[in-house]
Amino acid sequence: MAYQNSITLKVSVLLIVLLGAEARDFSIFVNKTVIIRNDISPHPTPLDLIVHCQSRDDDLGFHTIAFGGTYSFQFRPLLFPRYGHTLFFCSFTWKGNPYPHYLNVYNQTVDDCKVCSWKINTTGGCNDFKGYEECRKWEGDI
């Protein structure tokens, strides 16, 4: 009887290890990348974009992006979104419009992207997560 329990335990451990190795390929275990591009019109002169991104747990600090330049970061979303979900939001300011504008750049409940690329303009941000360009206005703006 003890011998049979030992075999069952070993097979169970082997199965768990194999499933764990396969699970690394599932999208919930893969790092996500957010790329933010400064696409604010350069008329009459190019403007730098000041970005401050954060989640509930991580503050990524302030970054300045020159016109046409990018800033990117990586993270791993929560494994069990039922008990909370990963949300990264950013504030954006630029010369001539110093009041912060906010945009959710990754929301685990709605964004299904491995690389989440944003083009930021004066009215909000545009992405092509779904294979077509979708633009969102600033959060809280009408």
Side-chain angles (χ1 to χ4, degrees), residues 33-75:
T33 301
V34 172
I35 302 171
I36 298 169
R37 178 181 171 186
N38 178 354
D39 205 30
I40 293 178
S41 175
H43 183 72
T45 59
L47 296 174
D48 288 344
L49 181 65
I50 300 170
V51 181
H52 180 212
C53 297
Q54 60 189 53
S55 70
R56 180 179 59 195
D57 301 322
D58 297 303
D59 186 335
L60 305 179
F62 288 87
H63 301 273
T64 302
I65 308 172
F67 174 74
T70 61
Y71 163 67
S72 65
F73 61 92
Q74 289 187 325
F75 61 94

Short mmCIF file of all heavy atoms in Angstrom, two decimals, residues 33-75:
data_model
loop_
_atom_site.label_atom_id
_atom_site.label_comp_id
_atom_site.label_asym_id
_atom_site.label_seq_id
_atom_site.Cartn_x
_atom_site.Cartn_y
_atom_site.Cartn_z
N THR A 33 4.52 44.15 -22.42
CA THR A 33 5.32 45.34 -22.68
C THR A 33 4.38 46.47 -23.10
O THR A 33 3.53 46.27 -23.96
CB THR A 33 6.33 45.08 -23.82
OG1 THR A 33 7.19 44.00 -23.44
CG2 THR A 33 7.16 46.32 -24.10
N VAL A 34 4.54 47.62 -22.47
CA VAL A 34 3.81 48.82 -22.87
C VAL A 34 4.83 49.76 -23.51
O VAL A 34 5.89 50.02 -22.95
CB VAL A 34 3.13 49.49 -21.66
CG1 VAL A 34 2.55 50.84 -22.05
CG2 VAL A 34 2.05 48.60 -21.09
N ILE A 35 4.49 50.23 -24.71
CA ILE A 35 5.32 51.20 -25.41
C ILE A 35 4.51 52.47 -25.61
O ILE A 35 3.38 52.41 -26.11
CB ILE A 35 5.78 50.66 -26.78
CG1 ILE A 35 6.56 49.36 -26.61
CG2 ILE A 35 6.61 51.71 -27.51
CD1 ILE A 35 6.85 48.64 -27.91
N ILE A 36 5.06 53.60 -25.21
CA ILE A 36 4.38 54.89 -25.34
C ILE A 36 5.21 55.75 -26.29
O ILE A 36 6.40 55.97 -26.06
CB ILE A 36 4.24 55.55 -23.97
CG1 ILE A 36 3.37 54.67 -23.07
CG2 ILE A 36 3.65 56.95 -24.11
CD1 ILE A 36 3.36 55.10 -21.63
N ARG A 37 4.56 56.24 -27.33
CA ARG A 37 5.24 57.07 -28.33
C ARG A 37 4.67 58.48 -28.29
O ARG A 37 3.46 58.67 -28.26
CB ARG A 37 5.04 56.50 -29.73
CG ARG A 37 5.67 57.35 -30.79
CD ARG A 37 5.46 56.81 -32.16
NE ARG A 37 5.91 57.80 -33.11
CZ ARG A 37 5.76 57.70 -34.39
NH1 ARG A 37 5.18 56.65 -34.90
NH2 ARG A 37 6.19 58.64 -35.18
N ASN A 38 5.56 59.46 -28.30
CA ASN A 38 5.16 60.86 -28.34
C ASN A 38 4.77 61.21 -29.76
O ASN A 38 5.61 61.32 -30.65
CB ASN A 38 6.30 61.77 -27.86
CG ASN A 38 5.95 63.23 -27.92
OD1 ASN A 38 4.90 63.63 -28.41
ND2 ASN A 38 6.84 64.06 -27.40
N ASP A 39 3.46 61.37 -29.99
CA ASP A 39 2.94 61.68 -31.31
C ASP A 39 2.23 63.04 -31.30
O ASP A 39 1.34 63.28 -32.10
CB ASP A 39 1.99 60.57 -31.77
CG ASP A 39 1.87 60.47 -33.27
OD1 ASP A 39 2.84 60.79 -33.97
OD2 ASP A 39 0.79 60.08 -33.75
N ILE A 40 2.61 63.90 -30.34
CA ILE A 40 2.00 65.23 -30.27
C ILE A 40 2.53 66.04 -31.44
O ILE A 40 3.73 66.10 -31.69
CB ILE A 40 2.31 65.91 -28.92
CG1 ILE A 40 1.61 65.14 -27.80
CG2 ILE A 40 1.87 67.36 -28.93
CD1 ILE A 40 1.87 65.68 -26.43
N SER A 41 1.62 66.69 -32.15
CA SER A 41 1.98 67.44 -33.35
C SER A 41 3.14 68.39 -33.10
O SER A 41 3.14 69.14 -32.12
CB SER A 41 0.76 68.24 -33.83
OG SER A 41 1.12 69.05 -34.92
N PRO A 42 4.15 68.37 -33.98
CA PRO A 42 5.32 69.21 -33.78
C PRO A 42 5.14 70.66 -34.23
O PRO A 42 6.10 71.40 -34.30
CB PRO A 42 6.39 68.51 -34.62
CG PRO A 42 5.62 67.90 -35.73
CD PRO A 42 4.30 67.48 -35.12
N HIS A 43 3.92 71.07 -34.56
CA HIS A 43 3.70 72.42 -35.06
C HIS A 43 3.50 73.40 -33.91
O HIS A 43 2.67 73.12 -33.05
CB HIS A 43 2.48 72.43 -35.98
CG HIS A 43 2.22 73.76 -36.61
ND1 HIS A 43 3.02 74.27 -37.58
CD2 HIS A 43 1.27 74.68 -36.37
CE1 HIS A 43 2.56 75.45 -37.93
NE2 HIS A 43 1.49 75.71 -37.21
N PRO A 44 4.16 74.50 -33.76
CA PRO A 44 5.20 74.98 -34.66
C PRO A 44 6.58 74.38 -34.34
O PRO A 44 7.47 74.42 -35.17
CB PRO A 44 5.21 76.48 -34.41
CG PRO A 44 4.78 76.64 -33.00
CD PRO A 44 3.82 75.50 -32.75
N THR A 45 6.77 73.83 -33.15
CA THR A 45 8.04 73.17 -32.82
C THR A 45 7.73 71.87 -32.10
O THR A 45 6.69 71.73 -31.45
CB THR A 45 8.92 74.05 -31.89
OG1 THR A 45 8.19 74.31 -30.69
CG2 THR A 45 9.30 75.35 -32.56
N PRO A 46 8.62 70.89 -32.21
CA PRO A 46 8.39 69.61 -31.50
C PRO A 46 8.29 69.82 -29.99
O PRO A 46 9.00 70.64 -29.41
CB PRO A 46 9.63 68.79 -31.86
CG PRO A 46 10.17 69.40 -33.08
CD PRO A 46 9.85 70.87 -33.00
N LEU A 47 7.38 69.08 -29.37
CA LEU A 47 7.17 69.19 -27.94
C LEU A 47 7.58 67.91 -27.23
O LEU A 47 7.30 66.81 -27.71
CB LEU A 47 5.68 69.45 -27.64
CG LEU A 47 5.11 70.76 -28.17
CD1 LEU A 47 3.60 70.80 -27.92
CD2 LEU A 47 5.78 71.94 -27.49
N ASP A 48 8.26 68.06 -26.10
CA ASP A 48 8.56 66.92 -25.25
C ASP A 48 7.31 66.53 -24.48
O ASP A 48 6.50 67.38 -24.10
CB ASP A 48 9.67 67.26 -24.25
CG ASP A 48 11.03 67.38 -24.90
OD1 ASP A 48 11.18 66.92 -26.05
OD2 ASP A 48 11.94 67.94 -24.26
N LEU A 49 7.14 65.24 -24.25
CA LEU A 49 6.02 64.70 -23.50
C LEU A 49 6.56 64.17 -22.17
O LEU A 49 7.51 63.40 -22.15
CB LEU A 49 5.37 63.57 -24.30
CG LEU A 49 4.16 62.86 -23.70
CD1 LEU A 49 2.99 63.83 -23.57
CD2 LEU A 49 3.77 61.68 -24.58
N ILE A 50 5.97 64.61 -21.07
CA ILE A 50 6.38 64.12 -19.75
C ILE A 50 5.36 63.09 -19.30
O ILE A 50 4.16 63.36 -19.24
CB ILE A 50 6.51 65.27 -18.74
CG1 ILE A 50 7.55 66.26 -19.23
CG2 ILE A 50 6.87 64.73 -17.36
CD1 ILE A 50 7.61 67.55 -18.46
N VAL A 51 5.85 61.89 -19.02
CA VAL A 51 5.00 60.74 -18.70
C VAL A 51 5.31 60.26 -17.30
O VAL A 51 6.47 60.17 -16.90
CB VAL A 51 5.29 59.59 -19.70
CG1 VAL A 51 4.40 58.40 -19.41
CG2 VAL A 51 5.12 60.05 -21.12
N HIS A 52 4.25 59.94 -16.56
CA HIS A 52 4.40 59.35 -15.22
C HIS A 52 3.44 58.16 -15.15
O HIS A 52 2.23 58.34 -15.11
CB HIS A 52 4.07 60.37 -14.14
CG HIS A 52 4.20 59.82 -12.76
ND1 HIS A 52 3.40 60.25 -11.72
CD2 HIS A 52 5.03 58.89 -12.23
CE1 HIS A 52 3.75 59.61 -10.62
NE2 HIS A 52 4.73 58.77 -10.91
N CYS A 53 3.98 56.94 -15.17
CA CYS A 53 3.17 55.72 -15.17
C CYS A 53 3.26 55.02 -13.83
O CYS A 53 4.31 55.02 -13.19
CB CYS A 53 3.62 54.77 -16.27
SG CYS A 53 3.42 55.44 -17.93
N GLN A 54 2.15 54.38 -13.45
CA GLN A 54 2.13 53.63 -12.19
C GLN A 54 0.97 52.65 -12.17
O GLN A 54 0.04 52.74 -12.96
CB GLN A 54 2.05 54.57 -11.00
CG GLN A 54 0.82 55.46 -10.97
CD GLN A 54 0.93 56.52 -9.88
OE1 GLN A 54 1.91 57.25 -9.81
NE2 GLN A 54 -0.07 56.59 -9.04
N SER A 55 1.10 51.70 -11.27
CA SER A 55 0.01 50.77 -10.94
C SER A 55 -0.23 50.91 -9.45
O SER A 55 0.35 51.77 -8.80
CB SER A 55 0.41 49.33 -11.29
OG SER A 55 1.40 48.86 -10.41
N ARG A 56 -1.06 50.06 -8.93
CA ARG A 56 -1.31 50.09 -7.48
C ARG A 56 -0.04 49.77 -6.71
O ARG A 56 0.20 50.33 -5.63
CB ARG A 56 -2.41 49.09 -7.13
CG ARG A 56 -2.75 49.06 -5.65
CD ARG A 56 -3.85 48.10 -5.34
NE ARG A 56 -3.46 46.76 -5.77
CZ ARG A 56 -4.29 45.74 -5.91
NH1 ARG A 56 -5.57 45.91 -5.68
NH2 ARG A 56 -3.85 44.56 -6.30
N ASP A 57 0.82 48.93 -7.28
CA ASP A 57 2.01 48.47 -6.58
C ASP A 57 3.32 49.10 -7.05
O ASP A 57 4.31 49.06 -6.33
CB ASP A 57 2.15 46.95 -6.73
CG ASP A 57 0.94 46.21 -6.19
OD1 ASP A 57 0.40 46.63 -5.16
OD2 ASP A 57 0.54 45.21 -6.81
N ASP A 58 3.35 49.64 -8.26
CA ASP A 58 4.60 50.13 -8.84
C ASP A 58 4.46 51.55 -9.36
O ASP A 58 3.54 51.85 -10.12
CB ASP A 58 5.03 49.24 -10.02
CG ASP A 58 5.31 47.82 -9.59
OD1 ASP A 58 6.15 47.64 -8.70
OD2 ASP A 58 4.68 46.90 -10.14
N ASP A 59 5.39 52.42 -8.95
CA ASP A 59 5.49 53.78 -9.47
C ASP A 59 6.74 53.82 -10.34
O ASP A 59 7.85 53.66 -9.84
CB ASP A 59 5.57 54.79 -8.33
CG ASP A 59 5.53 56.23 -8.80
OD1 ASP A 59 5.91 56.50 -9.96
OD2 ASP A 59 5.14 57.10 -8.01
N LEU A 60 6.56 54.02 -11.64
CA LEU A 60 7.68 53.97 -12.57
C LEU A 60 8.39 55.30 -12.74
O LEU A 60 9.35 55.39 -13.50
CB LEU A 60 7.19 53.44 -13.92
CG LEU A 60 6.47 52.09 -13.87
CD1 LEU A 60 6.01 51.67 -15.25
CD2 LEU A 60 7.36 51.02 -13.24
N GLY A 61 7.91 56.34 -12.05
CA GLY A 61 8.58 57.63 -12.10
C GLY A 61 8.23 58.45 -13.33
O GLY A 61 7.41 58.07 -14.15
N PHE A 62 8.89 59.61 -13.44
CA PHE A 62 8.66 60.55 -14.54
C PHE A 62 9.69 60.31 -15.64
O PHE A 62 10.87 60.06 -15.36
CB PHE A 62 8.78 61.99 -14.04
CG PHE A 62 7.63 62.41 -13.18
CD1 PHE A 62 7.64 62.17 -11.82
CD2 PHE A 62 6.52 63.05 -13.73
CE1 PHE A 62 6.59 62.56 -11.01
CE2 PHE A 62 5.46 63.44 -12.93
CZ PHE A 62 5.49 63.19 -11.57
N HIS A 63 9.23 60.39 -16.89
CA HIS A 63 10.11 60.20 -18.04
C HIS A 63 9.75 61.25 -19.09
O HIS A 63 8.57 61.54 -19.31
CB HIS A 63 9.95 58.79 -18.63
CG HIS A 63 10.26 57.73 -17.63
ND1 HIS A 63 11.54 57.26 -17.43
CD2 HIS A 63 9.47 57.07 -16.75
CE1 HIS A 63 11.51 56.34 -16.47
NE2 HIS A 63 10.28 56.21 -16.04
N THR A 64 10.76 61.80 -19.73
CA THR A 64 10.56 62.78 -20.80
C THR A 64 10.81 62.10 -22.14
O THR A 64 11.85 61.48 -22.35
CB THR A 64 11.50 63.98 -20.62
OG1 THR A 64 11.26 64.57 -19.35
CG2 THR A 64 11.28 65.01 -21.71
N ILE A 65 9.84 62.23 -23.04
CA ILE A 65 9.93 61.62 -24.36
C ILE A 65 9.95 62.73 -25.40
O ILE A 65 9.01 63.53 -25.49
CB ILE A 65 8.72 60.69 -24.63
CG1 ILE A 65 8.53 59.68 -23.50
CG2 ILE A 65 8.89 59.99 -25.97
CD1 ILE A 65 7.24 58.88 -23.62
N ALA A 66 10.98 62.78 -26.21
CA ALA A 66 11.05 63.75 -27.31
C ALA A 66 10.03 63.36 -28.38
O ALA A 66 9.61 62.19 -28.47
CB ALA A 66 12.46 63.78 -27.90
N PHE A 67 9.64 64.32 -29.22
CA PHE A 67 8.68 64.03 -30.28
C PHE A 67 9.21 62.87 -31.15
O PHE A 67 10.36 62.86 -31.56
CB PHE A 67 8.44 65.25 -31.17
CG PHE A 67 7.58 64.93 -32.35
CD1 PHE A 67 6.22 64.74 -32.19
CD2 PHE A 67 8.13 64.77 -33.61
CE1 PHE A 67 5.41 64.42 -33.27
CE2 PHE A 67 7.34 64.45 -34.70
CZ PHE A 67 5.97 64.27 -34.53
N GLY A 68 8.36 61.88 -31.38
CA GLY A 68 8.72 60.70 -32.17
C GLY A 68 9.44 59.63 -31.37
O GLY A 68 9.60 58.52 -31.84
N GLY A 69 9.86 59.94 -30.13
CA GLY A 69 10.55 58.98 -29.29
C GLY A 69 9.58 58.11 -28.52
O GLY A 69 8.37 58.31 -28.52
N THR A 70 10.14 57.10 -27.84
CA THR A 70 9.31 56.17 -27.08
C THR A 70 9.86 55.95 -25.68
O THR A 70 11.04 56.17 -25.42
CB THR A 70 9.22 54.80 -27.79
OG1 THR A 70 10.52 54.23 -27.88
CG2 THR A 70 8.58 54.91 -29.15
N TYR A 71 8.98 55.49 -24.82
CA TYR A 71 9.32 55.00 -23.48
C TYR A 71 8.59 53.67 -23.34
O TYR A 71 7.43 53.54 -23.76
CB TYR A 71 8.87 55.99 -22.40
CG TYR A 71 8.81 55.39 -21.02
CD1 TYR A 71 9.98 55.00 -20.36
CD2 TYR A 71 7.60 55.18 -20.38
CE1 TYR A 71 9.93 54.44 -19.10
CE2 TYR A 71 7.54 54.62 -19.12
CZ TYR A 71 8.70 54.25 -18.48
OH TYR A 71 8.66 53.68 -17.23
N SER A 72 9.24 52.66 -22.78
CA SER A 72 8.58 51.37 -22.62
C SER A 72 8.91 50.77 -21.26
O SER A 72 9.91 51.11 -20.64
CB SER A 72 8.99 50.40 -23.73
OG SER A 72 10.37 50.11 -23.65
N PHE A 73 8.03 49.87 -20.82
CA PHE A 73 8.25 49.12 -19.58
C PHE A 73 7.59 47.76 -19.71
O PHE A 73 6.72 47.55 -20.54
CB PHE A 73 7.74 49.89 -18.35
CG PHE A 73 6.26 50.20 -18.36
CD1 PHE A 73 5.34 49.34 -17.77
CD2 PHE A 73 5.79 51.37 -18.93
CE1 PHE A 73 3.99 49.64 -17.75
CE2 PHE A 73 4.44 51.68 -18.92
CZ PHE A 73 3.53 50.81 -18.33
N GLN A 74 8.06 46.84 -18.89
CA GLN A 74 7.54 45.47 -18.89
C GLN A 74 7.04 45.11 -17.49
O GLN A 74 7.53 45.63 -16.50
CB GLN A 74 8.61 44.46 -19.29
CG GLN A 74 8.99 44.51 -20.73
CD GLN A 74 9.92 43.36 -21.09
OE1 GLN A 74 10.76 42.95 -20.29
NE2 GLN A 74 9.76 42.83 -22.30
N PHE A 75 6.10 44.17 -17.46
CA PHE A 75 5.55 43.69 -16.19
C PHE A 75 4.88 42.34 -16.45
O PHE A 75 4.68 41.96 -17.61
CB PHE A 75 4.54 44.69 -15.62
CG PHE A 75 3.36 44.92 -16.52
CD1 PHE A 75 2.19 44.19 -16.36
CD2 PHE A 75 3.44 45.85 -17.54
CE1 PHE A 75 1.12 44.39 -17.21
CE2 PHE A 75 2.37 46.06 -18.40
CZ PHE A 75 1.21 45.33 -18.23
#
